[in-house]
Amino acid sequence: MKRLAIATLLAATALASPASGADKPLDAKGTWSVTTRGSAPLPPMGWNSWNAFGTDIDEEKVIASAQLIVDSGLAAKGYRYVNIDDGWWAKRRQADGRVLIRTDNFPSARTADGNTSFRPFTDRLHAMGLKAGIYSEIGRNSCGQIYGDPKGPGQPAGTITEREIGLYGHIDQDIALYFGEWNFDYIKVDGCGIRALAADSPQVKSGRLRALDPLIDYDTIPRTNIPAVKALFDQVGEALSRNKPGNDFVLSICLWGSADVRSWARTLGNLSRTSEDISPNWERMLHNLDSASRRELYAKPNSWNDPDMLFIGSGEFDDAHLTEARSHMSLWAMLNAPLIIGFDLRKASPAMMGVLGNAQVIALNQDAAAHQAVLAYDGDSVQIFTKTLADGSKAVALFNRTGSPIDVKLIASHLKYRADQPITLTDLWDGGTQSFTSEMPVHLERHQTLLFKASGTRERAQGLYLSEQPGNVNPAVDGIVHPMADPMVYRGLLPWRSTKADGEHPVYGGWGGARADATPFAQTPKIAGRTYHNAIGTLANSRLEVRNTGFSSFTTLAGIDDSVADPAVRVRFSVHADGKLLKQTGWMKPGDSPATIAVPVKGARIVELVAEGNRPEMQTVAVDWAEAALDR
């Protein structure tokens, strides 16, 4: 394992550090590197069986849920994907490697030749105007097999190899079956099988499952074999492209923020899970929220952050907790998270259907501008999220994380609106309107989120700060060399672990990446003693791709953030348009005043911002593109 860790470290360094030759990662490419595979221009919406039924799924439950989605009007509001999760398989036939379906639970899958087929099932969903989703696993064995009850429902049967129903060793075959033959539209691919089956694991020691040397060390980030994990998912992406050449599919990568998935998911998958599973309690919702809320620059059309499914309707988000249910829905909408219902809709009350079906809130999630909300105020008690909408207005969510009422103030600069002009707010839950100038006091009840659509006069009259349009800013190279655990994620008690360990420690390789209006390490950007509230913060040895949606000029004040203490650090900044160098600064040192850059970009599709350091590894060197903006 020591040799594996060293090899992994070297491979990660090679991927992230400046290289020789034509493939230097800091060289301007003139391209947008977010994947074009798959079809998720907006966050997918739908339903998944897991939170409601676990592995105890069957055709009747799934079709009944699908019918309720149609009959209730949720389908017309965008909930289109109906996804079966773990528990659908019978075994893998050893003669030819074909995965067989549990026909006792999915009777329409029976075939005369015994091959079984989901085609009647997907045809039925498609005839209802819906899309069909399936679950698989990148390793040999699914999460339900590894962590579930061996005698519980939905467990594959047969010999140890017949029960290996994951993609490992069968990627091309299984993807061809699921998408070519069975005509599914969506696949969620889990990663438990490449994480949890070391030789000393309980399942392996008992002889129930075969060992598979882990590629992911979930608790010790540097020991994960990042290139090997990515290579497996690359194969899935290539197989999907072959079997769905029209790109009419969604690939959901479920690696829970591990394996530095943040840095490469955008080149491959349409959704990327940012954390472990959500649970129907407030603490776990905070945990999952935090795993995605500071990754605003890592969510894009066709590749979204996924903090897991909605748990609205259950536990602390049920009818007795309407405030919490609305907060959950509001926050997922602001994050541009996939809106995937995880509830037995046969039990849904009118109030819960009203939360899930709020057209105004859904519209925030499905807004065509496709910008994940940015934290305008970030605290342990209160957070304020803002997002720029396609019609030029803003949305703002004021969120009370605590169990006590609290009084706060919304100020014009949170919205990047002028403080001397009126701002109008429309409440997206009760429809009320109010106006203020400069600042407004707001009272928040415990766990409450007030959600508004706001209109006012922008600070930047003829354009937008880059931090107002995170969906158009892609950290193609963010300067991270060795992924680091994220200390900002709320660490609540895990229901399935309780206190049978020494605590919940920071995990998820998400600390130190590019941020909007913050440094990579969650501080306010500051250069040469001056604070900047409009900035893109990143690391030295980074390259940002910026989509230009019709603007004529780019301006910024570029410099080394005051958090950098090493006097030997040097960074130079350059701006490129469609691969052509427009401006390059000289080498700058800590404490230098920022360099003023103003360049024409009319007609350019991609503007690239490069911060080049004077040595290969500069993971602690924060740099700021302060006041970075595109103007007409």
Side-chain angles (χ1 to χ4, degrees):
M1 289 301 291
K2 185 175 181 181
R3 283 187 296 176
L4 173 61
I6 293 172
T8 301
L9 190 62
L10 291 173
T13 302
L15 286 172
S17 300
S20 59
D23 291 328
K24 290 181 180 179
L26 299 186
D27 284 349
K29 315 295 183 186
T31 58
W32 183 249
S33 61
V34 178
T35 183
T36 57
R37 287 176 177 157
S39 179
L42 296 172
M45 299 172 60
W47 176 89
N48 180 287
S49 62
W50 180 255
N51 288 351
F53 305 115
T55 56
D56 189 16
I57 56 171
D58 59 46
E59 191 163 3
E60 180 182 354
K61 292 173 180 174
V62 177
I63 293 298
S65 299
Q67 193 63 57
L68 280 165
I69 288 170
V70 173
D71 293 346
S72 68
L74 289 178
K77 292 178 178 179
Y79 292 94
R80 301 177 63 209
Y81 289 94
V82 174
N83 302 336
I84 54 175
D85 210 281
D86 202 346
W88 60 265
W89 24 47
K91 64 180 180 180
R92 186 180 294 278
R93 190 166 60 195
Q94 295 303 288
D96 58 3
R98 184 183 178 94
V99 176
L100 303 180
I101 303 161
R102 296 171 59 215
T103 54
D104 286 350
N105 291 66
F106 293 90
S108 72
R110 292 192 181 99
T111 60
D113 58 10
N115 282 334
T116 72
S117 175
F118 264 131
R119 189 58 182 258
F121 172 81
T122 61
D123 283 350
R124 185 173 180 182
L125 289 177
H126 291 153
M128 297 167 71
L130 301 171
K131 297 280 191 178
I134 196 167
Y135 169 93
S136 193
E137 157 66 46
I138 201 68
R140 293 191 188 118
N141 300 100
S142 74
C143 296
Q145 288 180 277
I146 295 169
Y147 297 112
D149 181 357
K151 297 181 180 179
Q155 294 289 347
T159 66
I160 194 168
T161 51
E162 286 177 323
R163 287 183 277 111
E164 293 177 347
I165 38 65
L167 294 173
Y168 196 85
H170 298 273
I171 290 175
D172 287 338
Q173 179 183 16
D174 288 359
I175 295 298
L177 178 65
Y178 303 161
F179 288 85
E181 185 176 331
W182 292 350
N183 202 26
F184 277 95
D185 309 289
Y186 179 119
I187 187 168
K188 172 185 169 184
V189 182
D190 236 327
C192 295
I194 58 171
R195 162 186 170 179
L197 292 178
D200 61 351
S201 72
Q203 299 285 17
V204 173
K205 289 172 71 175
S206 71
R208 182 167 172 261
L209 302 177
R210 278 201 295 169
L212 183 62
D213 286 344
L215 299 177
I216 294 173
D217 188 322
Y218 193 70
D219 298 312
T220 312
I221 291 172
R223 293 170 62 88
T224 290
N225 191 331
I226 296 167
V229 176
K230 182 178 181 298
L232 287 174
F233 280 90
D234 277 333
Q235 293 178 48
V236 175
E238 291 162 2
L240 283 165
S241 293
R242 285 192 294 273
N243 288 280
K244 283 280 191 176
N247 259 351
D248 52 337
F249 65 84
V250 170
L251 170 58
S252 172
I253 298 173
C254 190
L255 289 176
W256 339 278
S258 67
D260 198 29
V261 67
R262 180 187 62 176
S263 73
W264 53 264
R266 287 159 294 131
T267 69
L268 175 61
N270 309 116
L271 311 177
S272 177
R273 270 282 292 280
T274 56
S275 70
E276 285 267 31
D277 290 4
I278 195 169
S279 300
N281 60 73
W282 186 255
E283 285 198 334
R284 199 63 193 169
M285 189 278 287
L286 290 179
H287 176 96
N288 288 53
L289 168 72
D290 288 355
S291 73
S293 63
R294 300 175 185 89
R295 296 185 178 195
E296 64 280 331
L297 295 179
Y298 294 82
K300 301 284 173 286
N302 217 42
S303 190
W304 305 100
N305 289 324
D306 178 10
D308 206 6
M309 292 170 274
L310 294 165
F311 235 127
I312 291 166
S314 301
E316 295 179 19
F317 306 102
D318 65 7
D319 285 274
H321 300 87
L322 186 60
T323 295
E324 287 79 5
R326 285 182 169 185
S327 283
H328 188 3
M329 183 72 179
S330 297
L331 294 164
W332 261 232
M334 289 292 281
L335 289 183
N336 286 358
L339 297 183
I340 305 296
I341 300 167
F343 182 63
D344 184 353
L345 289 173
R346 298 172 302 177
K347 302 176 182 178
S349 68
M352 289 300 101
M353 294 300 275
V355 172
L356 293 167
N358 184 308
Q360 300 301 314
V361 179
I362 290 171
L364 292 186
N365 178 265
Q366 298 289 294
D367 184 74
H371 302 308
Q372 178 174 314
V374 173
L375 277 162
Y377 179 88
D378 191 3
D380 290 336
S381 300
V382 173
Q383 291 173 310
I384 299 175
F385 294 86
T386 63
K387 74 156 62 174
T388 304
L389 304 177
D391 64 4
S393 66
K394 299 289 184 86
V396 57
L398 296 96
F399 173 43
N400 181 1
R401 296 168 62 98
T402 77
S404 301
I406 195 165
D407 292 307
V408 301
K409 287 187 178 179
L410 176 65
I411 59 177
S413 61
H414 287 148
L415 296 155
K416 302 192 189 299
Y417 281 160
R418 284 178 52 174
D420 60 347
Q421 298 295 314
I423 297 168
T424 300
L425 301 175
T426 300
D427 191 306
L428 297 185
W429 286 107
D430 67 18
T433 61
Q434 53 189 307
S435 296
F436 74 97
T437 302
S438 184
E439 66 179 48
M440 182 181 78
V442 177
H443 178 76
L444 295 170
E445 296 295 341
R446 67 184 301 272
H447 295 171
Q448 185 178 27
T449 301
L450 290 178
L451 186 64
F452 301 104
K453 189 171 182 180
S455 60
T457 304
R458 294 199 305 267
E459 289 178 351
R460 201 154 193 105
Q462 298 302 315
L464 291 171
Y465 294 111
L466 295 194
S467 59
E468 293 182 273
Q469 47 179 323
N472 290 328
V473 181
N474 178 41
V477 181
D478 62 11
I480 294 292
V481 178
H482 314 296
M484 295 181 289
D486 191 341
M488 301 295 286
V489 177
Y490 182 85
R491 293 175 289 142
L493 187 69
L494 282 172
W496 53 86
R497 183 183 293 174
S498 185
T499 54
K500 295 186 294 184
D502 61 350
E504 298 304 323
H505 304 292
V507 288
Y508 313 139
W511 180 235
R515 291 290 311 276
D517 292 338
T519 73
F521 304 108
Q523 295 172 305
T524 302
K526 194 173 185 180
I527 307 172
R530 180 181 172 186
T531 297
Y532 296 92
H533 294 286
N534 303 302
I536 299 294
T538 185
L539 295 172
N541 289 334
S542 61
R543 177 171 58 86
L544 308 177
E545 300 166 351
V546 181
R547 287 194 300 189
N548 180 15
T549 57
F551 294 100
S552 298
S553 65
F554 170 76
T555 57
T556 190
L557 299 171
I560 299 172
D561 192 82
D562 283 358
S563 61
V564 177
D566 184 351
V569 163
R570 298 292 183 272
V571 180
R572 64 179 177 184
F573 300 84
S574 57
V575 179
H576 310 253
D578 291 340
K580 179 182 177 182
L581 177 64
L582 298 180
K583 180 74 177 277
Q584 186 173 65
T585 71
W587 289 98
M588 302 174 65
K589 64 182 184 298
D592 282 353
S593 296
T596 300
I597 298 175
V599 291
V601 294
K602 185 175 182 178
R605 287 190 321 109
I606 304 295
V607 178
E608 287 170 276
L609 312 180
V610 176
E612 179 186 1
N614 63 333
R615 52 181 184 254
E617 184 170 339
M618 304 187 76
Q619 188 155 309
T620 61
V621 179
V623 300
D624 303 316
W625 298 91
E627 305 294 332
L630 287 165
D631 291 295
R632 302 291 178 190

